[in-house]
Amino acid sequence: MKLKQIFLPLAKPFNRALVAAITAMIIFMVAVVYFGLVIAKRYRSALTDNQSGAMLQTVQSMADSLEALFLEYNSDLKAYCQIIDSGNEITREICESYVDSHKPLVAGIYIETHGEPIIYGENENWNGKISRIYSSSKMDGKTVLHLVRFESNWMGLLLSHQRENGLSASIIINLKHFYEGRLAKFHFGDEGYFVIKDSKGIILLHPEERQWGIQVIEGRNELYPGKDMRSLKKMIDNQLEGKTGIETYTSYWWTQEGSPRSKKISAYAPVPLGEDFLVVSAVIKADEIDETITKSLSNMFLLFGTFTFGVISMISYMMYLYAQNRKHSETAAYFAKMNDVLEQMHRSEENIAHQQRLQIIGTMTGGIAHEFNNLLTPIMGYAELLMLELSEDSDAYSSANEIYDASLKAKDIIQQLAGMSRKNIESAFKTLNAKDLILKALKMVKTICPENIQLIDSVNLDDECILGNTTQLNQAILNICMNAVHAIGHANGHLQVVAAKVGKTELLEISDMERNEESWNYYLRIDIIDDGCGMSKAVMKQMFEPFFTTKKSGQGTGLGLSVTEQIVTAHRGYIYAHSVLGSGTVFHLYFPIVSDENHQNISNDFSTSLKEQEKKISLLIVDDNRKVLNQLEKNFKKLPVALTCATNFEAARKELSTKRFDVIALEAYINGDSAIDFCMSIHQHEPTIKIIMADMIDRELAEARQSHIINDYVMKPVSVHTLLRTMKGTAHSLDLR
């Protein structure tokens, strides 16, 4: 019953829409068929005209070529007759040289005097006298083109010139080579061919040799009795009148066995020979054009059919979607909103390839940082222990201090390496010493500067502090410096980084910030200057747009400056650029300077105040590295700290069940278990301060501190120095002064 109530209101509108769609499709199909037939008719006419025009153009070109050939032979023949009349002794050599140079088209030269004929270029096929002359076409009063048969039954064309003194000289043309070399290389369709006739209708050249020398109508009636030649005779009459044209007629395909009746298309043109002319024609089956048209139309109708099927399928699917849309409109709207949210998320994501590389580097550096931190922890701890026990003016104290300083530098390097390779950048901000931040960033910049670029730094700062995120700020500075390196390229150049404290007035002069706007009185200004190729005004207008880049494909993602601007804005800062094309670029970064009430510098004698207090601090350290625990245990024995160690979370839970601790410091991960999860599970025996010792500070750790699941975190390697400083910064109930 419920299903009927749902679908019954939709059934009638859907049926009406379906009937309308089917009617529309029938009308569409009729229109497609009608216009298809119209197009087919026009296409056939156009294709036939194009084919016929190409044939006629080829035939006219062939007629011009043959005319030029016979005129050339006539001129040569007259010249040789003059040589022969002069009685030149080298006549034979000249004639034979001419024959050799014009083979195989010219078979020889035939000279008749009052005596026996003289033959140059002897050939067994045509040696002997002429037995029959089939055709004669006069070029002028003394030159005639004959189709002849020799006593050897060999046929050829004889271009003869008659002198007044009775001398007759002829050039013998090999008909077979003439056809193959001049005519057969032109193809019309699969079986098309050329025919040459004289002005009386005698066939001079044809693909079938047995038709050479016959009259085109009467001769074929003798060869093929009973054939209907009326359509052919009408076209031949037009040809013998010296006309040029194209005709469609009904005849027979003489070159096939049985000479089947066929509809033909012939293009013909005269070949002028002076007083007479020849006719050259090209013949093709009309069926071949029809087959081409039929194939093209089949493909066209197949395309129309596919298109029609696609349209029908699309309309049917649209009707289905229409019904579904009425039923699920609210769901579709929900998914549309979700799609918008996903698109916004995708637009803010880092480049996919960059993420993959950082993921691999992050995985590697995470393990490297963990192992190095475990090695640095006892080094720093034992160095501190020695410094506590030794006199400050002793050589041993200096050596221990050097070890401690070197371990601090190694710690910074590990933190920088891990910080720049994180996939999820820490979102928490904290108070940072501006000078230390910039100097550490410059260390990374030095690693990307090639030898042709000189890095110059000028950091004019004291103890100024800014509120920010170290990783993000390092990324912003590094992005701009990398762009500067690309801008300089392979030329010698300079990259200068200048940092100074400036007043609010300077920023007011260059920004759109209102004078009465609530802001900081002082700002940290970082200038990054290069003498590279610079930027045009058009490029500067787009430089902060995501994915905009002037680099070649594969050399940049176009995200560097876009991400940098986002980072600077998130830090309540400002970024400006000035550039001159061909001269270089300078970027100005402004960050608000804050007072550092919590910024502490604990000296090497930090333990003095602890030794003077009466109450001991109870501290529980959880770490799976026994060497780290041993070192911390030895150091804390020198201080009023009651230290308890545990190597896993279960042991720590047992300790917490029997005793309350002021502070608990935990390794971030032990055997795959999270210290954050452990801290959330110890509400019954919760210590005053919870500190996590981590190789890298990720988003989860920052959010745990923000949510007060933990009090603070400390970067490894840890020492008594770092733990007490963290405890002092977070403890409100303990008196560590």
Side-chain angles (χ1 to χ4, degrees):
M1 186 64 183
K2 291 184 178 180
L3 291 175
K4 288 185 178 181
Q5 292 175 351
I6 294 173
F7 288 104
L8 191 57
L10 296 176
K12 291 183 178 180
F14 181 78
N15 289 337
R16 286 196 298 268
L18 184 61
V19 170
I22 293 174
T23 304
M25 288 308 305
I26 292 174
I27 296 173
F28 176 76
M29 289 293 296
V30 172
V32 167
V33 172
Y34 173 75
F35 286 110
L37 293 175
V38 171
I39 292 172
K41 184 177 180 181
R42 293 181 179 178
Y43 179 70
R44 185 187 187 285
S45 177
L47 187 62
T48 303
D49 291 344
N50 290 339
Q51 182 71 27
S52 301
M55 288 177 61
L56 182 59
Q57 186 176 8
T58 303
V59 168
Q60 288 177 329
S61 176
M62 181 62 67
D64 294 340
S65 175
L66 292 177
E67 180 185 5
L69 179 67
F70 288 127
L71 289 176
E72 178 187 349
Y73 284 168
N74 187 24
S75 177
D76 293 342
L77 194 59
K78 291 178 179 179
Y80 280 109
C81 286
Q82 291 178 358
I83 294 173
I84 295 170
D85 281 344
S86 66
N88 195 320
E89 296 180 357
I90 58 172
T91 299
R92 173 174 290 278
E93 295 180 8
I94 295 174
C95 291
E96 290 181 351
S97 174
Y98 181 82
V99 172
D100 290 339
S101 63
H102 289 77
K103 282 182 179 180
L105 191 59
V106 174
I109 295 178
Y110 188 90
I111 298 175
E112 288 182 299
T113 59
H114 298 291
E116 290 294 324
I118 302 173
I119 299 173
Y120 299 102
E122 293 185 7
N123 189 312
E124 60 182 7
N125 291 325
W126 54 269
N127 281 348
K129 294 183 179 181
I130 296 172
S131 61
R132 182 178 177 182
I133 298 176
Y134 293 91
S135 168
S136 298
S137 302
K138 294 181 65 176
M139 295 186 67
D140 53 41
K142 298 181 179 181
T143 306
V144 182
L145 180 66
H146 299 290
L147 175 65
V148 301
R149 183 184 296 275
F150 287 87
E151 292 178 345
S152 61
N153 206 33
W154 186 84
M155 294 183 70
L157 283 176
L158 206 69
L159 183 62
S160 300
H161 181 74
Q162 184 73 38
R163 302 287 286 182
E164 294 177 354
N165 58 5
L167 174 68
S168 174
S170 304
I171 292 178
I172 304 172
I173 300 174
N174 190 317
L175 284 178
K176 185 175 182 180
H177 288 298
F178 186 84
Y179 191 88
E180 292 176 354
R182 289 276 176 170
L183 303 178
K185 61 182 180 180
F186 294 97
H187 297 281
F188 297 100
D190 295 330
E191 302 181 61
Y193 58 87
F194 275 97
V195 179
I196 297 179
K197 300 179 281 289
D198 66 7
S199 59
K200 302 172 188 62
I202 304 299
I203 297 175
L204 305 183
L205 274 176
H206 190 278
E208 273 196 337
E209 293 187 17
R210 67 173 183 162
Q211 296 197 36
W212 294 357
I214 68 172
Q215 217 284 335
V216 67
I217 299 297
E218 289 78 2
R220 282 175 176 169
N221 280 328
E222 295 178 4
L223 288 175
Y224 309 100
K227 302 292 186 182
D228 185 2
M229 302 288 183
R230 288 175 295 175
S231 180
L232 175 62
K233 186 177 185 306
K234 181 180 178 181
M235 183 196 66
I236 295 299
D237 291 341
N238 291 332
Q239 291 181 355
L240 298 183
E241 291 178 6
K243 296 180 180 180
T244 299
I246 301 172
E247 289 191 37
T248 301
Y249 62 100
T250 302
S251 182
Y252 301 88
W253 203 255
W254 312 111
T255 58
Q256 289 184 355
E257 185 177 354
S259 303
R261 190 176 179 85
S262 176
K263 187 177 182 181
K264 296 181 178 181
I265 298 175
S266 177
Y268 52 85
V271 181
L273 292 179
E275 297 180 9
D276 208 341
F277 66 90
L278 302 180
V279 177
V280 58
S281 61
V283 181
I284 186 174
K285 283 184 178 180
D287 294 343
E288 290 191 17
I289 298 179
D290 291 337
E291 289 175 3
T292 304
I293 294 171
T294 302
K295 185 176 180 181
S296 300
L297 291 178
S298 299
N299 293 335
M300 184 176 66
F301 278 110
L302 179 62
L303 179 62
F304 271 117
T306 304
F307 174 75
T308 304
F309 176 77
V311 171
I312 294 174
S313 301
M314 182 180 66
I315 292 177
S316 301
Y317 185 64
M318 288 176 64
M319 297 302 299
Y320 170 77
L321 290 180
Y322 172 76
Q324 293 297 316
N325 185 55
R326 288 174 59 89
K327 182 181 177 182
H328 304 292
S329 58
E330 293 182 0
T331 305
Y334 170 76
F335 281 117
K337 291 180 181 179
M338 290 296 295
N339 187 58
D340 292 339
V341 174
L342 288 174
E343 287 182 358
Q344 292 176 2
M345 291 177 61
H346 286 311
R347 283 195 295 266
S348 62
E349 286 180 351
E350 297 178 352
N351 180 267
I352 295 175
H354 187 58
Q355 288 181 346
Q356 292 176 343
R357 290 194 295 269
L358 289 185
Q359 183 178 5
I360 296 172
I361 296 174
T363 303
M364 294 175 58
T365 55
I368 294 172
H370 180 77
E371 295 301 326
F372 268 91
N373 287 334
N374 286 339
L375 295 174
L376 288 175
T377 297
I379 294 174
M380 293 177 63
Y382 286 115
E384 283 183 340
L385 185 61
L386 289 174
M387 290 165 62
L388 291 173
E389 295 177 348
L390 297 172
S391 174
E392 293 186 10
D393 56 357
S394 65
D395 293 337
Y397 181 89
S398 299
S399 300
N401 192 31
E402 288 293 332
I403 295 173
Y404 184 77
D405 290 341
S407 62
L408 286 178
K409 293 178 181 178
K411 175 183 176 182
D412 289 341
I413 294 172
I414 293 299
Q415 290 180 356
Q416 290 172 14
L417 180 63
M420 290 308 297
S421 63
R422 296 174 197 159
K423 184 177 180 181
N424 296 315
I425 299 175
E426 176 191 2
S427 61
F429 286 10
K430 59 184 178 182
T431 303
L432 304 173
N433 183 282
K435 185 176 182 178
D436 292 343
L437 171 73
I438 296 172
L439 292 178
K440 289 179 180 178
L442 287 174
K443 291 181 181 179
M444 290 183 288
V445 174
K446 288 180 181 178
T447 62
I448 66 169
C449 281
E451 295 181 356
N452 61 297
I453 298 177
Q454 181 181 0
L455 177 62
I456 304 171
D457 61 271
S458 177
V459 183
N460 302 315
L461 299 171
D462 293 320
D463 293 327
E464 291 81 1
C465 297
I466 62 173
L467 187 66
N469 176 275
T470 304
T471 303
Q472 293 182 7
L473 292 172
N474 281 338
Q475 182 181 357
I477 296 172
L478 192 60
N479 284 347
I480 297 176
C481 291
M482 288 181 66
N483 282 350
V485 170
H486 283 292
I488 296 173
H490 298 290
N492 293 327
H494 301 82
L495 174 59
Q496 186 175 4
V497 180
V498 180
K501 176 181 178 182
V502 298
K504 175 182 177 181
T505 307
E506 177 179 320
L507 190 57
L508 287 171
E509 294 176 355
I510 62 173
S511 71
D512 54 359
M513 181 174 61
E514 298 290 340
R515 289 187 175 272
N516 57 357
E517 182 180 347
E518 182 181 353
S519 59
W520 287 264
N521 292 324
Y522 296 97
Y523 285 82
L524 167 66
R525 186 186 73 196
I526 304 174
D527 298 334
I528 302 175
I529 308 163
D530 69 77
D531 51 5
C533 61
M535 293 182 288
S536 64
K537 292 182 179 180
V539 172
M540 291 186 66
K541 289 180 180 179
Q542 297 179 270
M543 63 182 176
F544 292 123
E545 294 181 6
F547 304 106
F548 173 76
T549 179
T550 58
K551 299 173 185 175
K552 295 180 180 179
S553 178
Q555 294 184 0
T557 62
L559 292 173
L561 288 180
S562 175
V563 172
T564 299
E565 185 190 32
Q566 294 176 16
I567 292 172
V568 173
T569 304
H571 284 75
R572 305 290 296 274
Y574 301 87
I575 181 170
Y576 301 98
H578 301 285
S579 184
V580 177
L581 195 61
S583 298
T585 304
V586 54
F587 277 88
H588 303 287
L589 282 69
Y590 292 87
F591 298 99
I593 292 178
V594 298
S595 59
D596 183 24
E597 298 177 356
N598 296 321
H599 187 68
Q600 303 289 338
N601 289 319
I602 301 178
S603 62
N604 289 333
D605 60 346
F606 63 90
S607 60
T608 303
S609 60
L610 291 175
K611 292 179 179 179
E612 294 175 354
Q613 67 180 29
E614 298 178 357
K615 180 183 177 181
K616 280 193 173 184
I617 302 171
S618 58
L619 171 63
L620 173 61
I621 297 181
V622 186
D623 196 308
D624 59 350
N625 192 305
R626 192 68 233 181
K627 292 183 180 180
V628 172
L629 294 177
N630 291 339
Q631 176 266 316
L632 293 174
E633 192 173 9
K634 289 182 180 180
N635 280 19
F636 276 114
K637 284 182 179 179
K638 307 293 181 179
L639 303 173
V641 175
L643 177 64
T644 303
C645 298
T647 57
N648 54 62
F649 293 138
E650 288 301 321
R653 200 182 303 277
K654 291 180 181 179
E655 294 290 344
L656 289 170
S657 65
T658 59
K659 183 179 178 182
R660 186 183 185 282
F661 292 91
D662 297 318
V663 182
I664 179 172
L666 309 96
E667 169 77 14
Y669 289 94
I670 298 179
N671 298 327
D673 296 328
S674 170
I676 295 177
D677 295 339
F678 177 77
C679 290
M680 294 174 65
S681 67
I682 58 173
H683 294 295
Q684 296 178 354
H685 310 286
E686 187 171 351
T688 303
I689 300 174
K690 299 184 291 295
I691 301 172
I692 289 184
M693 303 176 292
D695 294 305
M696 292 190 301
I697 309 302
D698 55 17
R699 193 180 300 277
E700 182 183 12
L701 200 58
E703 291 177 352
R705 185 177 68 175
Q706 187 176 1
S707 302
H708 304 294
I709 298 173
I710 63 174
N711 296 90
D712 208 345
Y713 48 74
V714 61
M715 292 285 290
K716 295 182 69 177
V718 297
S719 65
V720 174
H721 181 107
T722 53
L723 281 175
L724 290 178
R725 183 174 62 185
T726 306
M727 291 159 54
K728 184 172 182 178
T730 56
H732 300 286
S733 60
L734 294 176
D735 185 8
L736 300 180
R737 296 174 295 175

